[in-house]
Amino acid sequence: MALNIDTEKYYIEKEEVALDSDDDYTYEEVPVEDDLVPPELEEDLDAAVRTIREANDDAIARAPGPPVAKPAVYQKPEVVDDFVRNFLIHMGMSRTLDCFQTEWYELQERGLLKYADIGIVPDVYTRNQELENEIEFLQKEATKFQNAAIKAKDLYVKLRKERDFHRMHHKRVVQEKNKLIDDIKRLKRHYSQYPDNMQALKKKYEAAMKEKMLANLERDRALGQVTGLQSTIKNLELSQGGSGVKVEEKKDTKGPTHKQLLMERQKRSAGADGDVGNQAPGFKRYVNDSEFPVDHGINPFLNQSKYMTANAARAGGFRLSNSFVAHTHAISGLALHPRKQILATASDDQTWKIWAIPSGEIIMTGEGHTDWVSDCDFHPIGSSLATTSGDSTVKIWDFSKAACVHTFTDHTAAVWSCSWHTCGNFLATSSMDNTAKVFDLNSLRCRYSLRGHMDSVNSVEFLPYSNTLLTSSADKTVSLWDGRTGLCAQTFYGHMHSVNHATFSFRGDIIGSCDAYGVIKLWDVRSVAPMASFEIGPHSANKIGFDTSGGVVAIACNDSMLKMYEIATGTITSLAGHEDAVQCLIFDVGGEFMVSGGSDNVVRIWS
């Protein structure tokens, strides 16, 4: 059978393109003008191209003569073997392609293939192949657009969260600004009272200086008179002694001496019996004064060894268990009830509050101070609460009466802290007037003023079950006092900055102190010597506390962190949770939890 072979030949027309050089062409500078085309007359690219084509077609149609024939470009249909090869290559079937080509060339050389077998591929197959390629391309495009939509969605969610965060931050900044404005107004009102007080004090000082000057003048005049009388008497004695005449002594010519006046004053103050030493042993000038208990030095925590092992490794074991907003201003003081799960807080918003812990339910609110409340402390039996304030007063609040039962006004400056004696009859306070005072709750008077510090006394604390007092001062010292006599027993030197707080361990054998530069010092009470010293600065350390084991020290820092120091190993860990400076902290007597408060107005419970 004869094989029909297409003998038609195809040639490619060769065209010569002349190179055109623009080196010698002189260009004309076209001035650049803004807004050459008004915005309303601008067209898109397609419209402009279409307009140009229509104009060219019209010009060709109007031109005389026969139209110039354009060379036509024909697409040659794909033959069967090329179609099969392309399909196999596209599908990655290389071995099948090798077999196909071997068998195809063998049959072609033998002449066993018909023209219909080696002809062109029908258009429908080519069209199907193009459609499949287009479908694959569109699927890839759809996947790409889907991924882009997912990324856009994620970006939208992220931007929305950032918007909400910045909106909340803006509201917080506005609230802080309003709070600062209120604080500034309150401080302006507070400081506006200073000129009047300073003027009054100046007048009192001037009057006292005048009285002192007059008294000095009177004293000098009296001394001059006494000297003159003494010289006159001596002259009389010499003149009459030389003549042999004896002059009788006049006993009443001189007045009483200063020593005689003091003795007379003591007799009058002692009573009809004369000397104070002749009074009865139980004699009291103030009948309602309380007696200090015998200081036998027995501390119950000394024999409770379970506290030494229960919390031996708690330095890094505290975790935040609960928190609640307690006040509208910074929290400056904390106190735990001696018998119940009750917490008292003092704040710069001039109030104190009592809370049930760990639930954080409010029980009672107290208002009465006219300035910020600095500290609070429960009575040892839990029936009342003592508070100190920047208005220079100390108030006693009775829970049964739900009112303030007494106010001490002996301090002349802001009062920083307070501490009850274990017997409950005495309250110690520290003040910016450079003194600490011991008040008697039975006679309602100041029994002693502890004078010796040269600057503000920042904290005061009774050693449990003892008459010993501990004070810390801005004069960079820590002192021990005897509460029965009001005398300083020992002073610890070593801090280089103002000591913000000092406290005893539960066993009473260690004193911890912290200063305004973040330096912590531990002192051995028995040997009266420093045990350890370390820094957590440069931020200020506001308060320090021991856990019940005495092996872990907690420090409230100005950098919004709570630092835990383990005495045995010297390791320091940090507890993050507060958003502003931590002002105060306190440990539970049972060693179960710790409470902290700060300038972020939040109380946080760590267990």
Side-chain angles (χ1 to χ4, degrees):
M1 182 178 178
L3 181 64
N4 296 326
I5 301 176
D6 187 8
T7 60
E8 184 179 0
K9 295 181 176 61
Y10 299 91
Y11 299 96
I12 298 177
E13 184 178 358
K14 182 178 181 182
E15 293 287 343
E16 295 289 340
V17 179
L19 297 177
D20 191 6
S21 176
D22 296 337
D23 295 340
D24 299 332
Y25 186 78
T26 303
Y27 294 94
E28 181 181 357
E29 183 178 0
V30 179
V32 179
E33 298 181 0
D34 295 334
D35 299 334
L36 294 176
V37 181
E40 59 272 8
L41 298 180
E42 290 184 355
E43 298 178 347
D44 57 4
L45 180 62
D46 295 336
V49 172
R50 185 167 58 252
T51 303
I52 294 172
R53 286 179 179 177
E54 290 177 357
N56 293 334
D57 293 342
D58 294 341
I60 293 172
R62 289 193 300 269
V68 179
K70 297 181 180 179
V73 179
Y74 299 98
Q75 183 178 1
K76 182 178 179 181
E78 189 176 11
V79 295
V80 173
D81 55 340
D82 289 342
F83 176 81
V84 175
R85 290 189 187 94
N86 292 336
F87 174 77
L88 294 176
I89 292 172
H90 179 71
M91 298 303 294
M93 303 170 64
S94 58
R95 290 182 295 176
T96 306
L97 176 62
D98 294 339
C99 296
F100 168 75
Q101 290 186 139
T102 301
E103 190 173 0
W104 176 271
Y105 288 127
E106 182 180 354
L107 294 176
Q108 189 176 14
E109 291 297 329
R110 291 179 182 180
L112 299 178
L113 294 177
K114 299 179 180 179
Y115 176 75
D117 297 331
I118 62 175
I120 61 175
V121 179
D123 293 341
V124 63
Y125 293 107
T126 305
R127 182 60 180 165
N128 289 341
Q129 183 67 28
E130 293 177 354
L131 291 177
E132 288 179 359
N133 295 335
E134 185 176 0
I135 290 172
E136 184 179 358
F137 172 75
L138 291 177
Q139 286 178 351
K140 292 180 179 179
E141 290 292 320
T143 304
K144 181 174 70 175
F145 289 131
Q146 185 178 5
N147 295 333
I150 294 174
K151 291 181 179 179
K153 183 179 179 182
D154 296 339
L155 180 62
Y156 169 73
V157 173
K158 179 181 178 181
L159 292 176
R160 186 174 63 183
K161 290 181 179 179
E162 291 182 356
R163 180 203 65 187
D164 296 338
F165 171 77
H166 290 298
R167 183 179 297 172
M168 181 179 64
H169 182 67
H170 173 70
K171 290 181 180 179
R172 179 182 174 187
V173 170
V174 171
Q175 291 176 358
E176 291 180 353
K177 182 194 73 174
N178 295 332
K179 183 180 73 172
L180 290 175
I181 291 173
D182 295 338
D183 292 342
I184 291 172
K185 291 180 179 178
R186 181 171 56 83
L187 289 174
K188 284 183 178 179
R189 290 195 302 268
H190 180 68
Y191 291 141
S192 63
Q193 301 174 2
Y194 280 12
D196 298 335
N197 295 336
M198 293 296 292
Q199 191 68 22
L201 291 174
K202 185 177 180 181
K203 290 181 179 179
K204 291 182 179 179
Y205 174 74
E206 291 176 353
M209 292 301 293
K210 288 180 181 179
E211 292 179 359
K212 180 180 179 181
M213 181 180 64
L214 293 175
N216 290 336
L217 292 174
E218 290 291 336
R219 183 196 64 184
D220 295 339
R221 187 174 62 182
L223 289 175
Q225 291 177 356
V226 170
T227 305
L229 290 174
Q230 289 178 352
S231 61
T232 303
I233 292 172
K234 287 182 179 179
N235 293 332
L236 290 174
E237 288 179 352
L238 291 174
S239 61
Q240 293 182 5
S243 60
V245 179
K246 186 177 181 180
V247 181
E248 294 182 359
E249 297 180 357
K250 295 183 180 180
K251 298 182 180 179
D252 298 332
T253 56
K254 296 182 180 180
T257 62
H258 182 65
K259 183 176 181 181
Q260 292 173 347
L261 290 175
L262 289 177
M263 292 178 64
E264 290 293 333
R265 186 180 298 175
Q266 290 179 357
K267 291 179 180 180
R268 287 197 300 269
S269 62
D273 294 338
D275 191 13
V276 179
N278 297 329
Q279 300 296 336
F283 172 76
K284 286 185 179 181
R285 181 175 299 173
Y286 297 94
V287 181
N288 294 326
D289 277 354
S290 303
E291 291 290 341
F292 278 91
V294 178
D295 195 352
H296 49 69
I298 298 178
N299 188 338
F301 289 103
L302 292 174
N303 298 324
Q304 295 182 3
S305 59
K306 63 179 181 179
Y307 291 118
M308 298 301 295
T309 56
N311 298 326
R314 293 299 300 275
F318 284 97
R319 297 293 181 270
L320 182 63
S321 60
N322 191 20
S323 62
F324 55 90
V325 179
H327 291 273
T328 58
H329 290 70
I331 300 171
S332 54
L334 297 172
L336 286 170
H337 195 278
R339 293 182 178 84
K340 300 179 181 179
Q341 294 292 327
I342 294 176
L343 174 71
T345 59
S347 172
D348 289 353
D349 60 7
Q350 304 179 10
T351 64
W352 57 268
K353 296 182 181 181
I354 295 180
W355 310 83
I357 53 174
S359 62
E361 297 178 359
I362 189 167
I363 300 174
M364 184 181 297
T365 301
E367 299 178 356
H369 286 288
T370 59
D371 209 335
W372 39 268
V373 184
S374 57
D375 196 13
C376 59
D377 193 20
F378 278 105
H379 191 275
I381 63 174
S383 60
S384 59
L385 181 75
T387 58
T388 58
S389 172
D391 59 8
S392 309
T393 63
V394 181
K395 291 183 179 291
I396 308 299
W397 308 81
D398 193 336
F399 298 142
S400 61
K401 299 178 181 179
C404 175
V405 294
H406 189 72
T407 300
F408 293 104
T409 59
D410 297 74
H411 283 290
T412 59
V415 187
W416 288 121
S417 65
C418 60
S419 177
W420 286 96
H421 192 282
T422 309
C423 67
N425 294 330
F426 303 98
L427 177 69
T429 59
S430 64
S431 171
M432 198 184 290
D433 61 5
N434 304 353
T435 66
K437 294 183 182 294
V438 178
F439 295 98
D440 193 326
L441 271 295
N442 290 325
S443 60
L444 297 178
R445 73 181 188 93
C446 177
R447 291 288 295 272
Y448 298 107
S449 291
L450 310 182
R451 303 181 186 277
H453 287 292
M454 305 304 295
D455 207 336
S456 171
V457 184
N458 295 328
S459 70
V460 65
E461 181 179 322
F462 268 111
L463 175 63
Y465 308 99
S466 173
N467 297 319
T468 302
L469 279 163
L470 174 67
T471 59
S472 65
S473 172
D475 63 4
K476 309 172 188 177
T477 62
V478 178
S479 296
L480 291 174
W481 306 77
D482 188 345
R484 296 167 296 184
T485 60
L487 299 177
C488 181
Q490 183 65 41
T491 299
F492 298 91
Y493 298 93
H495 283 281
M496 303 301 293
H497 302 85
S498 172
V499 184
N500 291 335
H501 184 246
T503 185
F504 288 105
S505 65
F506 278 82
R507 291 167 54 85
D509 55 346
I510 301 175
I511 294 175
S513 59
C514 58
D515 64 21
Y517 202 74
V519 176
I520 313 299
K521 290 186 179 292
L522 302 180
W523 314 84
D524 192 334
V525 178
R526 293 166 293 187
S527 61
V528 194
M531 292 175 51
S533 178
F534 59 94
E535 291 188 18
I536 58 171
H539 300 283
S540 173
N542 298 321
K543 206 150 192 180
I544 186 172
F546 289 88
D547 72 335
T548 50
S549 69
V552 176
V553 181
I555 306 103
C557 303
N558 231 26
D559 60 352
S560 74
M561 302 292 287
L562 279 166
K563 303 294 177 68
M564 311 296 292
Y565 175 76
E566 191 170 352
I567 297 176
T569 61
T571 57
I572 300 176
T573 57
S574 299
L575 299 180
H578 284 278
E579 298 177 358
D580 207 337
V582 186
Q583 300 292 347
C584 49
L585 59 87
I586 188 171
F587 278 95
D588 173 35
V589 179
E592 297 296 329
F593 59 88
M594 177 181 65
V595 185
S596 61
S599 297
D600 55 0
N601 315 336
V602 178
V603 171
R604 301 188 186 274
I605 302 174
W606 311 82
S607 59

